[in-house]
Amino acid sequence: MSNIVEKIKEIHPLYHVKGCTEEQIQEAQSALKMEFPEEFVDYVREFGAISFYGTEWTGLNVEGYLNVVEATRQEQSLNEAFPTECFVLENQGIDGVITAVDKAGHVFAIQFDQKKLLCDSLSEYLEICIARKNK
């Protein structure tokens, strides 16, 4: 298991929903026709979806724009250039920037047809999100 769960537990205040089941994870992966990276699976299994310091990560056990399947499908329908190998982690709500993750756990900033690597892992991206508290 990755250490992302322990890193998230250190965030205060942290808002989250109920963690999800293996069946829910499998259903979401099947719906999106992709495999989630280990860190994302560990995160949603424990927390479902999270919000902290103005950051909202998609996940499971939640409906609407924070549901990873709904958010990814919406972005795919709005942006034909959205990479098929990625899912939405966070909608920045600024200038159309979407934070997306591939099955290897690489984190990207997607803006229309532009794709820029931000981090090599969700844990690394989590550190960036935590740093937002001081801004």
Side-chain angles (χ1 to χ4, degrees):
M1 182 186 332
S2 65
N3 66 352
I4 195 162
V5 168
E6 295 309 314
K7 287 182 177 184
I8 294 171
K9 284 181 178 179
E10 294 174 6
I11 299 169
H12 299 285
L14 174 71
Y15 304 97
H16 64 90
V17 296
K18 182 178 130 189
C20 64
T21 66
E22 196 62 39
E23 182 179 344
Q24 289 172 302
I25 294 167
Q26 293 300 323
E27 287 173 4
Q29 290 180 125
S30 178
L32 294 175
K33 298 180 175 83
M34 66 178 62
E35 189 176 320
F36 296 140
E38 179 185 7
E39 286 186 318
F40 188 79
V41 170
D42 291 345
Y43 145 65
V44 295
R45 190 180 290 132
E46 183 73 22
F47 300 104
I50 59 174
S51 174
F52 62 95
Y53 312 153
T55 295
E56 294 179 314
W57 280 13
T58 64
L60 297 170
N61 272 339
V62 64
E63 294 186 19
Y65 72 97
L66 285 180
N67 179 283
V68 66
V69 174
E70 290 181 44
T72 301
R73 284 182 171 164
Q74 179 179 3
E75 192 57 31
Q76 289 169 337
S77 72
L78 295 173
N79 180 3
E80 64 184 37
F82 188 81
T84 57
E85 73 279 4
C86 290
F87 63 90
V88 173
L89 178 67
E90 185 179 23
N91 184 337
Q92 298 288 333
I94 302 167
D95 297 330
V97 177
I98 300 293
T99 304
V101 181
D102 67 12
K103 71 178 183 178
H106 299 118
V107 180
F108 301 91
I110 309 289
Q111 187 176 29
F112 309 110
D113 62 346
Q114 304 296 310
K115 178 180 170 186
K116 177 184 172 190
L117 179 66
L118 295 176
C119 304
D120 290 328
S121 70
L122 278 171
S123 288
E124 188 179 340
Y125 185 66
L126 179 62
E127 295 300 324
I128 292 170
C129 295
I130 291 170
R132 293 177 185 164
K133 178 182 181 182
N134 300 322
K135 290 187 177 183

